[in-house]
């Protein structure tokens, strides 16, 4: 998505050069959200694990269900089985 900067934007990072005032540029946004998850033995979603939305059960899961569950992103926080929330970095 392009955006027009009103003022110079930052010094750039990595492969992203700074956006000069009045020029079009692109930005990268990283979003992390909390999702409900199942609880119980073996239900914890380890950090770094691809996480999916189980629409029928209304929670996040590590089970892709052969493509039936939509990819949300990657879990970013080490959990325990008793957690009811998993923190996920969204992926495009």
């Amino acid at each position: 998505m392009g955006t027009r900067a009103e003022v110079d934007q930052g010094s750039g990072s990595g492969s992203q050069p700074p956006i000069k005032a009045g020029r079009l540029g692109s930005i990268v946004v990283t979003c992390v959200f909390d999702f409900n998850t199942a609880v119980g033995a073996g239900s914890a979603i380890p950090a770094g694990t691809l996480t999916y939305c189980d629409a029928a059960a209304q929670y996040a899961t590590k089970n892709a269900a052969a493509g039936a569950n939509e990819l949300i992103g990657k879990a970013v926080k080490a959990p325990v089985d008793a957690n009811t929330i998993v923190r996920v970095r969204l992926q495009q």
Side-chain angles (χ1 to χ4, degrees):
M1 179 172 107
T3 185
R4 188 172 303 276
E6 296 292 324
V7 296
D8 287 351
Q9 298 296 310
S11 60
S13 64
S15 62
Q16 292 285 72
I19 303 171
K20 296 291 184 185
R23 299 290 188 131
L24 286 177
S26 63
I27 57 174
V28 176
V29 178
T30 302
C31 298
V32 176
F33 291 93
D34 290 343
F35 292 88
N36 292 327
T37 188
V39 295
S43 65
I45 302 173
T49 301
L50 290 176
T51 306
Y52 302 86
C53 176
D54 184 329
Q58 298 287 309
Y59 60 72
T61 179
K62 57 188 170 187
N63 184 352
N69 293 335
E70 293 287 328
L71 177 65
I72 300 171
K74 281 189 178 178
V76 297
K77 186 175 179 184
V80 295
D81 285 337
N83 285 5
T84 60
I85 300 292
V86 61
R87 186 159 290 163
V88 179
R89 179 177 44 90
L90 301 184
Q91 288 184 218
Q92 292 179 317

